[in-house]
Amino acid sequence: MLNIDPLKIVEKQIVILEALARFKYLTSKQLQLIFNSQSCSYINATIRNLKKYKYPLIKSIEFGIAP
């Protein structure tokens, strides 16, 4: 059982989790298009919040500057 307080997960995080459950893999740019956001920084901050738990809800792959 996960030690996650359900009240700490905001609606944007739930949308990210639902999109990842459907597509399995999404880039920050693709999530930016889903949210109709101007900036990837908010998306990246939301992803970092999902990875900060003792048992992270998502995993990510770092590609660096030139994948």
Side-chain angles (χ1 to χ4, degrees), residues 28-46:
S28 295
K29 184 70 173 174
Q30 291 168 330
L31 287 170
Q32 181 183 1
L33 293 172
I34 289 172
F35 285 118
N36 294 325
S37 177
Q38 297 293 328
S39 164
C40 276
S41 63
Y42 178 75
I43 302 297
N44 291 332
T46 306

Side-chain angles (χ1 to χ4, degrees), residues 3 5 8-9 11-14 19 23 25 27 34 37-38 40 46 49 54 56 58 61:
N3 293 331
D5 185 7
K8 289 185 180 181
I9 297 178
E11 184 178 348
K12 296 284 186 178
Q13 292 172 332
I14 293 171
F23 297 109
Y25 174 83
T27 63
I34 289 172
S37 177
Q38 297 293 328
C40 276
T46 306
N49 287 336
K54 181 178 178 181
I58 62 173
I61 302 170

Side-chain angles (χ1 to χ4, degrees), residues 2-23:
L2 297 174
N3 293 331
I4 299 172
D5 185 7
L7 299 176
K8 289 185 180 181
I9 297 178
V10 295
E11 184 178 348
K12 296 284 186 178
Q13 292 172 332
I14 293 171
V15 172
I16 289 175
L17 291 173
E18 288 174 345
L20 289 172
R22 181 173 180 187
F23 297 109

